[in-house]
Amino acid sequence: MTDDGFFREVNEELRSDKMRAAWKRFGGLFIGAAVALVVGTGIFAFYEYWTEKQASKSGDEFLAALNLVRDGKNDEALKTLDDLEKNGYGAYPVLARMRAAGVQAQKGDPAAAVAAFDKVSADTAVPQSIRDLAKLRAALLLVDTGTYDDVASRVESLSNDGNPMRHSAREALGLAAWKAGRGGDAEKLFKQISDDQAAPANIRQFADTMLDMLRSTGAAPAAAAG
């Protein structure tokens, strides 16, 4: 055997010895890491499957509730929505709360509907955009059943320039002011909508109609809010 061959065999033996020693020392960790990787991948795959199934199940239940409402089966719809609120997945519980409040209004119980919307708007766990929408829905109901102050306490903060819900908030405030005999306030609010180029066309058209009516009936010069 040549010197080169001898040294090569020695090096290979040393590498083998080092590999065996390394395996004895770290083999368990390698196996653990491999198992963790496989288990982790399996858990992720299962979680992905589970979330898709849960979302699909909740979506089906929400659609079923909407169909019950469409068919006039409000009590059955409320039962389905209540179950979805308690056991639904993702955004469906809060959607169920909002729809259930709407069903209460359809059933002719605006007080229960307003209370339900108020509960959503006060829930800090709910996204702010949904909370604001709940305030607006409650205010629109209170245009008919409440006072101007009832409406204002819910949506006055939404009527500020730059708020994406300002047009609908001003519409609710304008209607409440008109109902309360505060024509000057109503005119101001509807004019804000009419002058806002960012307002949806249908809301601007309604505001223009209200302005024409207020001015033609002489309601606009009524005393301004104090």
Side-chain angles (χ1 to χ4, degrees):
M1 178 182 294
T2 64
D3 289 342
D4 288 343
F6 172 75
F7 285 119
R8 188 164 49 251
E9 286 191 20
V10 170
N11 285 334
E12 288 175 358
E13 286 294 324
L14 285 172
R15 281 197 294 270
S16 296
D17 288 342
K18 288 178 180 178
M19 286 293 292
R20 282 192 289 270
W23 181 257
K24 287 180 181 179
R25 185 175 180 183
F26 301 113
L29 294 176
F30 292 152
I31 292 173
V35 170
L37 179 62
V38 172
V39 171
T41 302
I43 290 174
F44 176 78
F46 174 77
Y47 177 75
E48 193 174 47
Y49 169 79
W50 183 82
T51 53
E52 288 178 359
K53 291 289 287 184
Q54 291 298 106
S56 177
K57 180 175 180 291
S58 294
D60 290 344
E61 290 175 357
F62 188 70
L63 181 60
L66 296 183
N67 289 335
L68 288 169
V69 173
R70 182 198 61 197
D71 295 338
K73 300 176 180 178
N74 291 327
D75 290 334
E76 292 179 46
L78 286 173
K79 184 177 179 181
T80 300
L81 291 167
D82 181 64
D83 182 66
L84 188 56
E85 177 188 341
K86 294 174 181 174
N87 304 306
Y89 181 79
Y92 285 104
V94 70
L95 291 176
R97 293 171 68 183
M98 291 289 287
R99 193 65 191 93
V103 174
Q104 293 286 9
Q106 288 178 237
K107 286 184 65 180
D109 193 350
V114 168
F117 283 128
D118 283 347
K119 191 173 180 181
V120 173
S121 69
D123 189 344
T124 56
V126 173
Q128 188 61 52
S129 58
I130 302 297
R131 294 173 65 190
D132 288 346
L133 181 59
K135 291 179 183 178
L136 182 60
R137 293 291 303 276
L140 290 170
L141 288 170
L142 288 166
V143 168
D144 285 333
T145 63
T147 66
Y148 177 86
D149 289 340
D150 289 333
V151 175
S153 68
R154 288 164 175 82
V155 296
E156 198 162 50
S157 63
L158 304 180
S159 68
N160 297 326
D161 290 342
N163 191 298
M165 294 188 182
R166 65 186 181 278
H167 315 110
S168 295
R170 289 168 180 172
E171 184 177 66
L173 288 166
L175 288 170
W178 174 54
K179 178 190 169 190
R182 299 163 66 159
D185 293 332
E187 182 187 29
K188 179 181 177 181
L189 287 157
F190 287 121
K191 191 172 187 307
Q192 283 181 316
I193 297 171
S194 181
D195 292 343
D196 190 340
Q197 297 301 312
N202 61 327
I203 294 182
R204 288 181 67 194
Q205 184 176 14
F206 179 75
D208 289 339
T209 300
M210 289 300 299
L211 285 170
D212 289 342
M213 186 190 69
L214 286 166
R215 290 163 181 166
S216 66
T217 60

